[in-house]
Amino acid sequence: AQSVTQLDSHVSVSEGTPVLLRCNYSSSYSPSLFWYVQHPNKGLQLLLKYTSAATLVKGINGFEAEFKKSETSFHLTKPSAHMSDAAEYFCVVSTNQGGKLIFGQGTELSVKP
Amino acid sequence: EAQVTQNPRYLITVTGKKLTVTCSQNMNHEYMSWYRQDPGLGLRQIYYSMNVEVTDKGDVPEGYKVSRKEKRNFPLILESPSPNQTSLYFCASSPRQGGHEQFFGPGTRLTVL
């Protein structure tokens, strides 16, 4: 069975400092992994996805994530936070059951001036 | 513009009064899905559809119905809403099942009194 765990429910950083949002997954086969972002009162937008090509995946708005099979992790990073990055972030694994996505509980990112 | 639309965006209703939330996509996607989002639980899948006239239960289908008579539409029906169905609902679509990005609608905030 597949599962995903986001290790922090809330992360707070200062503007201009690095961002690290942690995600561990469990999958019995090679998974597809995604990070989605949800800004307040908005729908979900895809940040990036891993589908067994390069292990370092670059996304929109300067975000990237590294797939580490040995650690079963897919952490999201950004070198320098911007105020507009304040949002909720979801790590997601795609299952082999009818295209079902399994969402982590979400990490709320706050960015202080 | 490629998009997933949902209506209504906001709805307040009373227990037992049947309602339908519509979902439509203009990308000719085969796969469509409904999720509910509750604080601390991320998104959980309610129902999904792999093509016209093909639907199946997700993780939390109790109290919901769906239909897929046309490729573009996937309405969510609550025949007798209850307060525990108060939630934020998202419709999503993707080209096919498995490993593909899902495109999300803007969400419908439902309150059942």
Side-chain angles (χ1 to χ4, degrees):
Chain A
Q2 290 80 35
S3 67
V4 60
T5 302
Q6 292 182 243
L7 300 171
D8 306 290
S9 59
H10 188 261
V11 170
S12 182
V13 301
S14 297
E15 191 174 20
T17 64
V19 175
L20 170 63
L21 305 183
R22 299 181 295 165
C23 172
N24 286 349
Y25 71 91
S26 171
S27 179
S28 54
Y29 64 98
S30 184
S32 294
L33 293 159
F34 309 82
W35 275 99
Y36 281 84
V37 61
Q38 183 181 27
H39 290 278
N41 300 313
K42 300 283 188 185
L44 282 84
Q45 180 184 18
L46 181 72
L47 271 181
L48 50 82
K49 64 180 178 181
Y50 167 77
T51 54
S52 74
T55 56
L56 182 62
V57 182
K58 293 189 184 298
I60 61 172
N61 301 334
F63 285 94
E64 62 183 38
E66 186 172 8
F67 174 72
K68 291 188 176 180
K69 187 175 181 178
S70 61
E71 298 176 11
T72 61
S73 69
F74 190 57
H75 301 334
L76 181 70
T77 60
K78 183 174 181 177
S80 176
H82 192 271
M83 295 297 292
S84 61
D85 294 328
E88 188 153 23
Y89 293 78
F90 293 96
C91 182
V92 183
V93 62
S94 176
T95 75
N96 59 352
Q97 301 164 12
K100 176 179 169 180
L101 298 182
I102 295 179
F103 283 74
Q105 300 90 332
T107 298
E108 185 178 351
L109 175 64
S110 301
V111 182
K112 298 175 289 188
Chain B
E1 179 190 355
Q3 59 182 349
V4 178
T5 56
Q6 296 178 226
N7 282 292
R9 295 288 314 280
Y10 302 90
L11 179 60
I12 300 174
T13 190
V14 295
T15 299
K17 185 176 181 182
K18 181 179 179 179
L19 66 92
T20 299
V21 183
T22 64
C23 172
S24 183
Q25 50 93 5
N26 62 0
M27 296 169 279
N28 201 36
H29 285 169
E30 290 183 359
Y31 181 92
M32 298 186 74
S33 182
W34 276 103
Y35 298 87
R36 60 178 289 173
Q37 181 180 17
D38 301 289
L41 297 177
L43 277 76
R44 295 175 293 167
Q45 190 180 52
I46 303 171
Y47 268 94
Y48 65 93
S49 169
M50 288 189 278
N51 215 324
V52 175
E53 302 291 0
V54 181
T55 64
D56 208 347
K57 296 177 180 178
D59 293 319
V60 288
E62 294 78 21
Y64 304 94
K65 284 176 58 178
V66 292
S67 69
R68 187 92 182 273
K69 295 186 171 62
E70 308 164 280
K71 200 171 188 178
R72 62 184 293 125
N73 296 323
F74 190 46
L76 179 70
I77 303 156
L78 285 71
E79 298 243 337
S80 183
S82 62
N84 64 12
Q85 292 178 298
T86 293
S87 188
L88 180 58
Y89 292 86
F90 287 100
C91 180
S93 72
S94 73
R96 295 178 299 282
Q97 65 177 19
H100 298 280
E101 172 190 359
Q102 290 192 17
F103 295 81
F104 284 81
T108 295
R109 186 166 293 282
L110 172 65
T111 301
V112 184
L113 302 174

